[in-house]
Amino acid sequence: MRVAENKKDHNTHKYVNSNLIVRRNKEFTIIVKFNRDFNEQQDNVELEFLIGSSPDENRGTYIILPIGKEKPEVRWKSRVVETQGNYVTVGVTPDTSCIIGRFRIFVVVVSDLGKQRTERNTDTDVYVLFNPWDPADHVYMDKDEDRQEYVMNDVGIIYNGEFNNITSRSWNFGQFEQGVLDACLFVLDSGKVPLVFRGSATEIVRQASALMNAQDDDGVLVGNWSGDYTEGTAPTAWTGSPEILLKYAKEGGEPVCFAQCWVFAGVLNTLVRCLGIPARVITNFCSAHDNTGNLKTDIVLDEDGKVDRSRTKDSVWNYHCWNEVYMKRPDLPEKFSGWQVIDSTPQETSDGLYRCGPTSVNAVKEGELSYPFDAKFLFAELNSDVIYHQCNKQGKLKILNVDTAYVGKLVVTKKPDSSDYEDITSTYKYPEKTVKEREVMQNAERSGMPARDYLPLTEAGVTIEIQTDTVKMGDNFKLTLNINNQTSQTCTINATITGCVAFYTGVTSTTFKLENKSATVEASKTESLTVDVNASEYTPYLVEQGKLLFVVYGHIEETDMSLSTMKVVTLQPPKLTIMMSGTPQVGKDLMISVDFQNPYNFILHNVQLRLDGPGLIPIKLKTYSQILPGGSVKYKVSMVPRTPGKKVLIACLDCPLLSQVTNELEIETLKAE
């Protein structure tokens, strides 16, 4: 099968897999040995490629290629490259829309006595993948630096936190790791994706976005936002995709527990990159999850200005991760090709299954929402208005104010060949308050989005902005309310400040603070109020990612007008340190130690520490039943790098009371001496 030479030619040399892996519409060569010299004119020999359980010539699952003779109706090509006695080198080119997957190969000698086949041999099976290097393939990408990042990079960075305080975590995509390609194909098989669909990139990514979540189809991952992960692994504890995909395949398609949006996006990214489709993980900060599908995110306050949790059904996720895949969309007008969104976090159903996409990013930007698939839902995640309502005792709602700029604040992804992020907001939306933005909204309304009949509102003439510095988890801190009076008279503002502990999905848990303050602000001036927040108030109630949501409601005495605003504060977790001793070199021992100290006055129970790095080590998992206040742990591990080049080692510590404690170490591995 000339595995090493072909893999180098086909950019598949990084896959840890002893079989031949090729990309479609590119020739690979194999050598066939006969028991006598081959005579091209007289001998009738065929190559057969079969995939699936019932191969069929008409469905592209059974390909018969005569060696050295033309067979016009077959889309694959073959030719005799050279003959040396009884050794024949044959060139085979799978066609450009060929099915992706693992083909069985047979050599058949045809004579008057019938057909004689070689025996079934799994070692000669050949995998065919998408080909982003080939202009004829729908997933073609023209820049090599883009292909290196979006197809070949096996480690990525996923951004989270807040739009004005972005944090990140490294993720092991590990698409070339041993067993991962088979696991990805297993996902398609257990999801019963018809083989005839597997030549179409659009179809594969649409199906894959449904198969990542276990809602309705026993997909790969079970979503869980409850805060209780005792039955599985906490979403924040994972470091990469291989562990999850290999577990799913090994357990015969039993969904893996548990995931939240970045885990779904990380694993889906591995699956599509592994099959040869360019992909990247995207984070949208302040992402609306509009349960009522009306482009409005409704926040309801009670008479006293506290958040009414029973009436507030919508939430704004602090961040939400989805994927983009790069491809031609033969089913849409040309301008909608390029980056497409797919989202496998189970939020809403599409054609009956929990999936979303592929949705053209250009179509979303232009408000052209009637093209397939799911553009309206995505548009709402990026463009919803946040509407603050107040509910009186009789249950009647009045609108306090509307924030048209809170949602879809910032959209980022990892920059190619860099550990910085790239701001791609402008690929999804035009700047706020521009003529173009208004046109897009009109387009969206024509595509069936509800009109924004609540605009324009009478402005209160006063704005409140909430500010805070970076806050470490366990610290006391101050909130500053900057009250700006834009009117021509002095205003007295009575403000109610509510502080709740929140999940990253914007869903609130315990309210730990309620405070009233007032300020008198002269015309055209700004006054500041400070609110003290003590660690002892919030620490007992913290949930996984340490987020606090503050909502301020202000009432102006002179005009009887009201207004409201909100801010999320993400508490920064303590650090994990990774140290390396020795020079990293292929085949040589390398010592790594991971250190952590518990800075809190409470015990951390059921602690998991993961260490992961493609090409460096198989995943290591260490558990500690407890870490006492002020106590520290040191985890030492020795590893032997397998391949040279730039590698990333990822460490993550996780327990019910503390998550998002991660770190990574870049290691440049030298070639063996």
Side-chain angles (χ1 to χ4, degrees):
M1 297 304 286
R2 304 188 73 249
V3 173
E5 299 87 342
N6 284 318
K7 274 185 165 173
K8 217 168 164 51
D9 278 352
H10 284 252
N11 298 298
T12 57
H13 53 286
K14 282 177 111 175
Y15 287 87
V16 182
N17 186 317
S18 54
N19 283 60
L20 176 55
I21 301 167
V22 301
R23 298 190 186 274
R24 55 190 193 178
N25 203 34
K26 183 171 174 65
E27 188 177 71
F28 62 93
T29 52
I30 59 178
I31 298 169
V32 182
K33 180 190 178 194
F34 297 102
N35 65 350
R36 64 163 171 77
D37 289 3
F38 176 67
N39 181 328
E40 219 173 304
Q41 271 58 51
Q42 289 165 9
D43 292 329
N44 188 355
V45 179
E46 295 170 343
L47 286 178
E48 289 183 333
F49 291 87
L50 294 78
I51 191 167
S53 53
S54 44
D56 179 342
E57 271 192 272
N58 300 319
R59 298 173 79 92
T61 53
Y62 183 16
I63 290 101
I64 300 172
L65 290 176
I67 293 182
K69 296 185 181 57
E70 275 303 304
K71 194 173 179 188
E73 70 276 15
V74 178
R75 314 245 307 259
W76 290 39
K77 298 275 168 283
S78 68
R79 67 188 183 100
V80 173
V81 179
E82 66 166 343
T83 307
Q84 284 187 327
N86 55 350
Y87 288 91
V88 181
T89 305
V90 184
V92 177
T93 309
D95 80 287
T96 155
S97 58
C98 148
I99 289 169
I100 299 308
R102 181 174 179 151
F103 286 83
R104 310 183 285 284
I105 176 173
F106 297 95
V107 182
V108 185
V109 176
V110 185
S111 69
D112 302 341
L113 301 169
K115 294 186 170 188
Q116 262 186 305
R117 265 182 193 77
T118 46
E119 281 178 24
R120 168 86 175 104
N121 177 2
T122 51
D123 295 345
T124 62
D125 286 359
V126 55
Y127 296 84
V128 181
L129 306 180
F130 288 99
N131 192 351
W133 280 261
D134 175 31
D137 201 305
H138 282 164
V139 302
Y140 172 64
M141 237 183 177
D142 60 345
K143 283 206 193 94
D144 192 57
E145 84 168 312
D146 287 348
R147 290 191 296 255
Q148 291 309 320
E149 181 67 51
Y150 303 130
V151 183
M152 301 301 284
N153 197 349
D154 54 4
V155 176
I157 296 172
I158 300 179
Y159 297 95
N160 48 28
E162 306 306 317
F163 71 93
N164 50 9
N165 183 8
I166 295 176
T167 51
S168 64
R169 59 186 301 156
S170 290
W171 190 263
N172 170 13
F173 294 128
Q175 67 269 38
F176 307 120
E177 296 282 282
Q178 194 160 1
V180 170
L181 174 55
D182 286 320
C184 293
L185 295 173
F186 173 78
V187 171
L188 300 181
D189 290 342
S190 50
K192 303 194 171 42
V193 178
L195 284 165
V196 288
F197 285 172
R198 298 192 197 182
S200 151
T202 306
E203 209 41 80
I204 279 205
V205 298
R206 180 151 176 76
Q207 303 266 0
S209 91
L211 297 173
M212 267 310 112
N213 64 70
Q215 230 122 335
D216 62 39
D217 52 14
D218 279 343
V220 178
L221 283 156
V222 178
N224 181 346
W225 284 264
S226 72
D228 176 8
Y229 310 114
T230 43
E231 301 296 307
T233 299
T236 43
W238 301 111
T239 47
S241 313
E243 184 182 3
I244 292 166
L245 285 163
L246 295 171
K247 183 172 162 61
Y248 180 71
K250 185 174 161 217
E251 293 176 5
E254 183 68 36
V256 177
C257 299
F258 290 106
Q260 289 174 4
C261 68
W262 70 94
V263 184
F264 286 114
V267 179
L268 183 52
N269 214 58
T270 297
L271 185 131
V272 286
R273 273 190 194 178
C274 187
L275 299 179
I277 301 170
R280 57 190 188 181
V281 175
I282 307 298
T283 301
N284 175 31
F285 288 98
C286 300
S287 191
H289 184 168
D290 169 10
N291 283 315
T292 37
N294 58 1
L295 263 195
K296 299 203 274 273
T297 297
D298 299 304
I299 308 285
V300 183
L301 308 182
D302 64 16
E303 279 192 304
D304 307 328
K306 294 205 306 286
V307 177
D308 184 333
R309 282 173 55 194
S310 63
R311 288 176 188 270
T312 304
K313 294 279 181 281
D314 296 342
S315 66
V316 178
W317 294 35
N318 303 147
Y319 61 87
H320 178 45
C321 299
W322 58 64
N323 303 76
E324 279 180 9
V325 285
Y326 194 83
M327 60 183 60
K328 224 189 223 80
R329 285 292 297 275
D331 55 330
L332 301 185
E334 178 123 349
K335 63 178 176 182
F336 298 135
S337 284
W339 288 113
Q340 314 288 319
V341 172
I342 51 175
D343 184 351
S344 58
T345 298
Q347 299 184 84
E348 303 291 331
T349 58
S350 163
D351 295 346
L353 290 177
Y354 279 92
R355 59 178 165 199
C356 175
T359 312
S360 158
V361 174
N362 289 348
V364 170
K365 182 173 183 177
E366 300 301 336
E368 303 270 3
L369 308 182
S370 38
Y371 293 103
F373 298 87
D374 310 312
K376 287 189 179 125
F377 181 72
L378 199 78
F379 187 81
E381 289 185 290
L382 291 145
N383 295 293
S384 271
D385 291 338
V386 174
I387 306 179
Y388 295 94
H389 305 260
Q390 192 165 28
C391 181
N392 66 12
K393 281 203 172 54
Q394 292 72 42
K396 202 166 169 347
L397 291 176
K398 72 165 189 193
I399 294 182
L400 295 174
N401 60 313
V402 176
D403 190 338
T404 57
Y406 188 87
V407 165
K409 273 269 196 293
L410 174 68
V411 186
V412 300
T413 188
K414 178 184 176 305
K415 243 188 203 144
D417 198 25
S418 153
S419 49
D420 291 336
Y421 65 82
E422 182 180 353
D423 176 351
I424 56 169
T425 317
S426 63
T427 64
Y428 281 92
K429 54 203 291 192
Y430 288 99
E432 296 287 335
K433 304 211 171 9
T434 55
V435 176
K436 205 69 187 129
E437 191 216 15
R438 277 201 296 281
E439 280 173 19
V440 166
M441 278 301 174
Q442 286 160 356
N443 273 346
E445 285 170 21
R446 277 200 293 277
S447 305
M449 277 295 189
R452 299 152 98 179
D453 47 16
Y454 44 83
L455 295 174
L457 279 177
T458 336
E459 295 286 332
V462 173
T463 60
I464 302 181
E465 185 201 14
I466 311 174
Q467 275 187 321
T468 148
D469 294 334
T470 306
V471 186
K472 282 200 180 109
M473 197 182 284
D475 281 4
N476 301 335
F477 65 96
K478 285 181 175 9
L479 279 186
T480 306
L481 311 185
N482 295 325
I483 304 169
N484 175 256
N485 178 3
Q486 297 148 354
T487 69
S488 53
Q489 65 181 69
T490 300
C491 289
T492 308
I493 289 103
N494 295 313
T496 303
I497 300 102
T498 316
C500 322
V501 171
F503 291 91
Y504 86 98
T505 54
V507 173
T508 54
S509 141
T510 319
T511 300
F512 66 87
K513 191 163 194 72
L514 185 62
E515 199 162 311
N516 294 306
K517 293 255 178 184
S518 57
T520 304
V521 188
E522 289 175 22
S524 307
K525 289 271 189 334
T526 300
E527 290 289 330
S528 295
L529 290 173
T530 53
V531 178
D532 288 314
V533 183
N534 289 323
S536 58
E537 295 176 86
Y538 66 76
T539 308
Y541 306 112
L542 282 181
V543 292
E544 48 210 45
Q545 294 181 40
K547 290 179 187 294
L548 308 176
L549 171 69
F550 292 95
V551 176
V552 174
Y553 162 75
H555 178 255
I556 303 160
E557 280 181 14
E558 289 77 0
T559 59
D560 201 27
M561 301 280 280
S562 300
L563 69 151
S564 194
T565 184
M566 61 182 173
K567 178 178 173 68
V568 175
V569 175
T570 299
L571 304 168
Q572 301 300 308
K575 272 281 167 241
L576 195 60
T577 46
I578 312 182
M579 308 281 281
M580 167 177 83
S581 55
T583 309
Q585 191 170 24
V586 172
K588 277 214 171 135
D589 269 352
L590 187 62
M591 276 306 287
I592 299 287
S593 76
V594 182
D595 294 80
F596 173 77
Q597 181 171 21
N598 176 5
Y600 304 118
N601 58 5
F602 49 86
I603 299 174
L604 298 176
H605 291 283
N606 303 330
V607 182
Q608 285 196 342
L609 178 59
R610 268 182 177 71
L611 204 54
D612 196 359
L616 285 168
I617 47 162
I619 187 134
K620 298 260 189 237
L621 173 60
K622 175 93 175 130
T623 52
Y624 300 94
S625 59
Q626 60 175 38
I627 304 176
L628 296 170
S632 58
V633 292
K634 190 185 207 62
Y635 179 43
K636 284 191 145 173
V637 64
S638 94
M639 61 180 73
V640 180
R642 302 194 296 267
T643 51
K646 198 164 80 180
K647 302 276 179 271
V648 180
L649 188 67
I650 304 164
C652 173
L653 179 130
D654 199 88
C655 65
L657 287 175
L658 182 63
S659 66
Q660 304 290 64
V661 181
T662 64
N663 205 346
E664 58 281 320
L665 183 66
E666 282 206 354
I667 296 176
E668 188 70 50
T669 310
L670 305 171
K671 290 193 169 88
E673 282 173 350

